[in-house]
Amino acid sequence: TAMILEILHAAFGFVRSPLFTTSLQVCSRLWILIVASKIPETQETQACGLMVLSWSSVEIVRYSFYLSALLMTRVPYLLFWLRYSVFYILYPTGITGELGTAF
């Protein structure tokens, strides 16, 4: 999937994310997607919905930040704040959704 590009982006320095952390996150996400695709009942759980909502929300903020950084001389403060604050809520909810989907 396109998530593997995240690892390459970190490896080649396109983003400032650490390679090991990015690799671990992408591999865990790919694993949970394989689990969800092989066991269709998991797709109907609240945990799976929480996982998808959390992942999507994180990515919307992150890529909006990246796009703003490319197109503007200065990233709007609200977007900057969201980029570095929203993960306090969305990462734990994402992990909770992943664990609930897996188990």
Side-chain angles (χ1 to χ4, degrees):
T1 73
M3 282 193 284
I4 294 173
L5 291 174
E6 292 287 332
I7 297 172
L8 296 175
H9 293 164
F12 293 119
F14 297 146
V15 294
R16 289 185 270 165
S17 303
L19 179 59
F20 178 75
T21 306
T22 302
S23 299
L24 193 61
Q25 182 179 18
V26 168
C27 289
S28 72
R29 285 184 175 186
L30 288 173
W31 176 80
I32 197 66
L33 287 176
I34 290 168
V35 168
S37 68
K38 297 291 182 189
I39 307 170
E41 301 85 47
T42 62
Q43 298 170 13
E44 299 173 7
T45 64
Q46 290 179 347
C48 189
L50 180 64
M51 175 184 73
V52 171
L53 183 64
S54 298
W55 285 2
S56 301
S57 299
V58 165
E59 299 304 335
I60 288 168
V61 170
R62 186 164 65 116
Y63 284 107
S64 296
F65 177 85
Y66 288 157
L67 184 63
S68 293
L70 287 172
L71 299 178
M72 304 172 133
T73 56
R74 198 170 160 189
V75 176
Y77 178 76
L78 178 61
L79 193 54
F80 180 85
W81 182 83
L82 285 171
R83 170 71 174 109
Y84 292 103
S85 301
V86 76
F87 71 91
Y88 285 116
I89 296 169
L90 294 177
Y91 275 34
T93 58
I95 291 168
T96 301
E98 291 171 20
L99 291 173
T101 301
F103 301 108

